Amino acid sequence: MPSGSHPDRRSLLRRSAAAGLLALPGVSALAACASGGGNEGAVEREAATDANPFGVSSDAGLEVVIFNGGFGEQYALDAEQIYQGSYGPVDHSATQEIASRLQPRMVQGDPPDVVNNGGADAMAIAGLLANRQVHDLTELLEAPSLDDPAVTVRETLRPGTVEKGQFGGDFGEGFYQLNYAFTVHGQWYSRAALARLDAEYPRTWEEMLAVCEAARRAGMAGWTYAGQYPYYLAFTLYPFIAKIGGAEVLRAIDNLEPNAWRHEAVAAAFSAYHELTARGYVLRGTPGLSHEESQAEWTAGRALFIPNGSWVENESRETTPDGFDMAVGPPTGLDEGDALPFGTLWACADEPFLVPADAHNLPGGLEFLRIMLGRDSARNFTELVSSLSCVSGAADGLDLPPGLASATQALDAAGENTVNPRLRDWYRQLHDVEIGGAVARMMAGEMEPEEAVAACQRAADAVARDDSVPKFRHA
């Protein structure tokens, strides 16, 4: 992919960042979070037209940084080719070290023009917002869509996509993050493996334990998960909590309400998950596995279920054998007394993209996202990576692989019974380290469920009391 020619200021700062000069030892955490040095030398907008609503200059280079995870980078490279057909060259890079590489540049006011802020090393969006380092993308929403100028970009998006990019509080109705994929989270499994057990997909926890026992007798574990990244467990644990006690339990947790983690639905869900460990139904060694290692164990047939998102089909493509018949089901419920129906699952727009406030070519960043939201790019994304996009109807008529077809069916069956927890978006340190750590210790047999609940509540209370942490809240 051709590289753009950026001003000397940008090249100099990039070389300095690579040399470690922008993150010297001894720099305070406060300084490391400070906002950038302004939008010096930014590209001026040209006159807007129907075809060029943001006034992109044809001679300004665009820099795009992609998280090279489960979705890879080809879908972005293809969208960049479309961009280059009308505008300047694109400087493309892909990495799994988003924060490590980009945080110094954000601090110095020299960010890329578009950032796919994904993965375990993503920059904390709360900190970026607090320091006004992210451009409000509302103008993208109100721009004409790429395929039909009579339809706005907003009108092409799946329900919930706009809300997922909003953060409320001090940020009002601003739209700061475009979540490009539409992810179905749940219990992923092999239909072929379940059929070999002569078992039905478990709808209640009693049925789950029976299926896991049948799996053990057949020489396989009931569950595995990404032990090194225990927030993967939340993909089924959170909707399980909502099924038991109602969606308001998750809203209270997101809102850091007092005693939210002490709700009886949380206690019941933690106890159920702990029982998987206590009965020996979790694959030995799981607490030490990465997400890729756990997926490889699963596709090798050593575990029946894995909590994951719909990116898993593409991410585990190389290890998935023929005839595996990948599928996803909604999280198993507790019993007939659940507050929400069996089909309830966590489905939402995911895979965040942002345009930094100090972007050199801000109009180009907006136009690149508009191109990605065009029908051709959205269909290409689905065909390449086996995931739905946030563009409504873009996958209609496509021949979907088994996992994605299953995810689409689960989403259709859920209807309005979907949940979208925001705790990880709003308080990543709390979610991934404190909450994730407590759940991980419980699943490793190092902590009882009631101890894990207490640890989660203490961590949430500490964040609620900390005035230095930006707060967000459901309406």
Side-chain angles (χ1 to χ4, degrees):
M1 185 62 64
S3 296
S5 58
H6 299 287
D8 290 342
R9 179 186 71 85
R10 171 165 288 204
S11 299
L12 175 61
L13 284 171
R14 186 182 299 159
R15 288 195 296 270
S16 298
L21 299 179
L22 299 181
L24 294 173
V27 175
S28 70
L30 180 61
C33 292
S35 58
N39 207 2
E40 176 187 346
V43 173
E44 295 291 334
R45 297 195 189 213
E46 296 184 351
T49 66
D50 289 344
N52 184 9
F54 307 117
V56 181
S57 172
S58 60
D59 59 358
L62 181 76
E63 184 182 4
V64 178
V65 177
I66 297 297
F67 168 62
N68 195 7
F71 295 139
E73 59 181 310
Q74 187 60 49
Y75 72 96
L77 290 167
D78 292 344
E80 289 163 16
Q81 291 281 11
I82 298 174
Y83 180 93
Q84 290 180 112
S86 300
Y87 306 106
V90 177
D91 179 354
H92 171 98
S93 60
T95 179
Q96 293 192 4
E97 300 172 341
I98 297 295
S100 302
R101 296 193 178 191
L102 299 186
Q103 196 75 56
R105 295 182 58 188
M106 297 291 287
V107 170
Q108 292 296 319
D110 176 51
D113 301 308
V114 178
V115 178
N116 174 197
N117 189 35
D121 192 39
M123 296 179 288
I125 186 65
L128 298 178
L129 289 171
N131 292 309
R132 309 295 173 181
Q133 293 174 315
V134 185
H135 182 70
D136 184 348
L137 299 174
T138 299
E139 62 178 312
L140 171 65
L141 297 178
E142 304 310 326
S145 64
L146 195 70
D147 302 301
D148 185 350
V151 176
T152 66
V153 168
R154 182 192 297 269
E155 293 171 316
T156 68
L157 302 179
R158 289 180 182 273
T161 301
V162 172
E163 291 78 4
K164 186 68 182 292
Q166 295 174 321
F167 295 86
D170 294 340
F171 307 101
E173 296 182 358
F175 179 64
Y176 293 94
Q177 187 169 265
L178 170 66
N179 291 278
Y180 189 62
F182 201 86
T183 301
V184 176
H185 304 91
Q187 288 166 187
W188 289 78
Y189 66 103
S190 160
R191 285 195 182 98
L194 195 62
R196 285 195 295 271
L197 297 176
D198 195 24
E200 299 290 332
Y201 186 87
R203 299 172 65 92
T204 67
W205 205 251
E206 183 177 350
E207 292 174 358
M208 169 59 76
L209 296 176
V211 170
C212 287
E213 180 59 32
R216 180 163 62 180
R217 289 197 299 269
M220 66 188 306
W223 279 59
T224 190
Y225 57 87
Q228 293 182 19
Y229 306 105
Y231 62 81
Y232 272 63
L233 284 163
F235 299 151
T236 51
L237 181 58
Y238 285 178
F240 185 31
I241 290 170
K243 284 185 181 186
I244 298 169
E248 60 272 16
V249 182
L250 296 185
R251 287 195 293 269
I253 287 173
D254 287 344
N255 290 339
L256 303 179
E257 293 181 9
N259 295 317
W261 284 97
R262 294 193 174 95
H263 194 283
E264 60 183 12
V266 177
F270 275 39
S271 293
Y273 270 51
H274 181 260
E275 195 168 6
L276 294 174
T277 293
R279 292 189 179 218
Y281 294 150
V282 176
L283 180 69
R284 186 182 298 274
T286 286
L289 298 179
S290 69
H291 62 294
E292 292 176 333
E293 290 168 341
S294 64
Q295 289 161 190
E297 294 290 330
W298 170 61
T299 54
R302 287 188 275 273
L304 183 59
F305 294 112
I306 188 169
N308 222 308
S310 45
W311 61 80
V312 68
E313 187 165 30
N314 185 63
E315 195 168 53
S316 59
R317 180 179 297 177
E318 293 185 2
T319 66
T320 304
D322 292 341
F324 189 79
D325 201 4
M326 189 179 296
V328 62
T332 297
L334 188 64
D335 54 36
E336 294 180 355
D338 287 349
L340 295 178
F342 162 71
T344 301
L345 48 73
W346 181 355
C348 63
D350 212 342
E351 198 62 22
F353 280 75
L354 58 86
V355 173
D358 287 339
H360 170 72
N361 186 4
L362 193 149
L366 294 170
E367 179 64 13
F368 176 72
L369 294 183
R370 190 173 80 106
I371 289 170
M372 285 185 60
L373 293 170
R375 184 175 177 83
D376 287 347
S377 291
R379 288 175 73 83
N380 184 55
F381 175 78
T382 296
E383 290 180 308
L384 284 173
V385 306
S386 299
S387 173
L388 299 174
S389 76
C390 65
V391 179
S392 293
D396 290 353
L398 294 179
D399 185 15
L400 302 179
L404 185 56
S406 171
T408 303
Q409 293 164 2
L411 184 60
D412 290 343
E416 296 181 357
N417 294 305
T418 61
V419 295
N420 182 13
R422 300 300 302 275
L423 193 68
R424 188 167 191 250
D425 297 330
W426 295 348
Y427 310 106
R428 178 163 291 211
Q429 174 75 14
L430 168 65
H431 182 273
D432 287 4
V433 178
E434 304 298 334
I435 304 300
V439 174
R441 291 192 294 275
M442 179 187 75
M443 294 301 291
E446 300 170 1
M447 184 179 283
E448 293 299 313
E450 57 271 20
E451 294 175 308
V453 167
C456 292
Q457 189 63 60
R458 284 195 302 271
D461 290 344
V463 172
R465 291 192 302 266
D466 189 343
D467 292 337
S468 70
V469 178
K471 301 301 191 298
F472 308 94
R473 188 173 180 86
H474 289 282

